[in-house]
Amino acid sequence: MALSTPPPSESAGGHRLLVVDDESTVRELLRTALRYAGFDVEAAATGEEALDLAVRRPPDLVLLDVMLPDMDGFEVIRRLRAQPRSSRPGGRGGDLPVLFVTARETRQDRINGLRLGGDDYITKPFDLEELIARIHAVLRRTKAEPRAGLVVGDLELDPEAHHVTRAGHTVRLSPTEFRLLHFMMANAGRTRTKGQILQSVWDYDFGGDRSIVDTYISYLRRKVDTREPKLIHTVRGVGYVIREPRP
């Protein structure tokens, strides 16, 4: 982990971060480095402490280690995601951005973290400048959504309320799933390549690993296309499209 802190390339904007790591050295170095980069930083050593801080002083983003002494990071994010927005004054509840920071780098760990609603996943050792860039990328793409509602067939998305329904039934999505669906619905009827989806939804290319798009399209299908007609379609060799049923 490169911890020689570079000058921040963009304003941290007073964003509050919650660093969750059971290694005291890593925790304190990250807290110091990220404060130097302009963030307001708090730190926790356990999952319970992190959940308590997330309620008392809601952060704008959580840097979450997977391996914690009392519960793993996946359980922490499950509990965070289970909290409705309204349950935490000033907080974001179920759509709080989470960036996993961990030494566990198996493909399954990464998929688990993203499936549970993690917005990004970086493994130790990491470069601090890259970590700060990823933090800014997550904050940018979770900061604001366009306000115009979108409709494709019986699927409706309200960006302002962060609410999705299909045939009148609520569809619960993670923040990343919501952004992906918003992008696809905003481009309804137009096939989007994996590269276009990565650039628009994730803001960078995950080191060239485009399989993350396939994974998230699969998640969306399980939640959105649970009834006929199917709205999300694969265009073989090109990408994906969401469209109303053809007559």
Side-chain angles (χ1 to χ4, degrees):
M1 188 185 326
L3 285 167
S4 54
T5 312
S9 58
E10 55 185 302
S11 170
H15 285 108
R16 179 180 295 125
L17 306 182
L18 174 57
V19 174
V20 187
D21 197 301
D22 65 333
E23 296 182 48
S24 60
T25 301
V26 173
R27 192 169 61 249
E28 292 308 312
L29 285 171
L30 281 175
R31 176 155 52 184
T32 300
L34 293 171
R35 282 177 175 170
Y36 177 81
F39 295 102
D40 178 6
V41 185
E42 289 197 273
T46 68
E48 287 292 350
E49 186 182 357
L51 291 167
D52 179 61
L53 282 171
V55 170
R56 290 193 291 107
R57 294 198 69 206
D60 296 299
L61 181 144
V62 179
L63 299 176
L64 180 60
D65 192 8
V66 172
M67 295 181 289
L68 297 171
D70 55 343
M71 68 182 80
D72 64 26
F74 301 142
E75 178 61 24
V76 174
I77 196 173
R78 283 189 192 99
R79 296 191 189 187
L80 284 172
R81 290 284 176 257
Q83 296 178 8
R85 289 183 174 191
S86 58
S87 71
R88 291 167 41 207
R92 303 196 45 186
D95 66 350
L96 176 64
V98 174
L99 194 163
F100 281 107
V101 182
T102 180
R104 288 168 59 168
E105 57 182 345
T106 68
R107 181 174 180 272
Q108 190 57 50
D109 282 333
R110 186 168 180 242
I111 289 174
N112 283 344
L114 295 171
R115 178 176 56 81
L116 289 168
D119 295 272
D120 201 352
Y121 198 109
I122 189 168
T123 56
K124 301 174 183 176
F126 54 82
D127 180 81
L128 185 59
E129 188 171 7
E130 179 187 0
L131 175 63
I132 291 173
R134 288 185 178 227
I135 290 170
H136 283 301
V138 171
L139 288 171
R140 279 197 305 273
R141 66 181 185 248
T142 58
K143 182 179 180 181
E145 302 284 354
R147 295 181 179 274
L150 298 170
V151 178
V152 176
D154 59 358
L155 178 65
E156 300 183 22
L157 182 149
D158 182 341
E160 190 167 2
H162 205 89
H163 187 64
V164 176
T165 60
R166 178 91 196 258
H169 299 284
T170 297
V171 179
R172 293 181 61 86
L173 300 177
S174 73
T176 303
E177 290 166 349
F178 185 90
R179 289 192 302 276
L180 174 57
L181 182 62
H182 186 282
F183 174 73
M184 297 302 294
M185 291 180 70
N187 290 276
R190 298 192 290 271
T191 300
R192 304 290 86 173
T193 67
K194 292 181 185 179
Q196 289 171 323
I197 294 171
L198 281 168
Q199 184 177 10
S200 297
V201 177
W202 279 270
D203 209 23
Y204 55 88
D205 65 3
F206 271 92
D209 183 3
R210 299 189 175 195
S211 65
I212 191 67
V213 175
D214 302 319
T215 299
Y216 265 88
I217 288 290
S218 175
Y219 297 159
L220 275 186
R221 281 176 165 154
R222 293 176 196 170
K223 295 182 178 183
V224 170
D225 275 346
T226 56
R227 64 190 304 273
E228 295 293 340
K230 305 302 183 186
L231 300 177
I232 301 172
H233 303 275
T234 301
V235 180
R236 193 171 300 278
V238 182
Y240 297 98
V241 61
I242 189 167
R243 62 171 180 257
E244 295 188 50
R246 290 174 175 170

